[in-house]
Amino acid sequence: MIWLFDLDNTLVGRAEAFGAWASAAVADAGGDGDDLAAIVAADEGGHGSKEALARVIVDRLGWDDDLPAAIERFRAGILEHVRPYEGVLFSLDVLRDAGHRVAVVTNGTSAQQRGKVARCGIEPHVDAIVVSGEEGVAKPDPRIVEIALEWLGAADADRRRVWMVGDAAHADVAVGRAAGTRTAWVSHGQAWDGPDRPDVVAPTTREAIALAASPQGAVVD
């Protein structure tokens, strides 16, 4: 089996890291709960415009930074706080020890995403890392899945034996569908509210892996 994992909010707690940084930044600036709520909302779980987020931060916290400097400032704060989810690296090791191939497939800039990978010690636990900013193509474009499979030496793999695992329906589930793989959605307790439910839905990445790797999740030839 081949496993392709999203990075943010799938292997590492990006939302938690941003929240921790934002809370400290608001406190340092003498802001209040409304400021924090506005900043977190503008982040859109990491999927919003970085320029729009920086503008909200500058306006709310009274920073003198221009927008590019503000972006670099909150990105550095995320790196400072980001951590892997408990037990998830062990789960990756279990998959690889069983002979499965594992890759990270993430949208973002090379510096930021590689920084998270390094900070969380992920590289020794996977076989490949594919970053959209390095490849010039991003989820949900299925070409990024093809690139990952090529890096794994599995370009001709049966797509029924490939899992795309991630928390973002519009990116992770969508790219898996577009590429013809199986899909596992990490819900973080949310309900799936769209059509075409993913093959697996679970509140955490470890639970998603367990379900996908179970006999019920296995491909029946």
Side-chain angles (χ1 to χ4, degrees), residues 59-82:
D59 290 346
R60 286 279 180 167
L61 303 187
W63 285 4
D64 294 329
D65 305 61
D66 60 18
L67 296 188
I71 290 170
E72 291 308 309
R73 193 166 166 182
F74 71 68
R75 281 178 167 163
I78 291 168
L79 291 182
E80 180 181 351
H81 290 282
V82 73

Side-chain angles (χ1 to χ4, degrees), residues 1 7 11 17 19 21 25 56 63 81 84-85 93 95 137 140-141 143 147 164 168 173 183 199 201 211-213 218:
M1 199 77 75
L7 180 64
L11 298 180
W21 170 81
V56 171
W63 285 4
H81 290 282
Y85 287 125
D93 290 341
L95 292 175
V137 61
D141 190 320
R143 289 178 294 170
I147 291 168
M164 180 67 223
V173 175
T183 56
D199 296 291
V201 173
L211 285 171

Side-chain angles (χ1 to χ4, degrees), residues 42-44 47-54:
D43 183 49
E44 296 182 23
H47 300 293
S49 161
K50 301 299 181 282
E51 290 76 14
L53 171 59

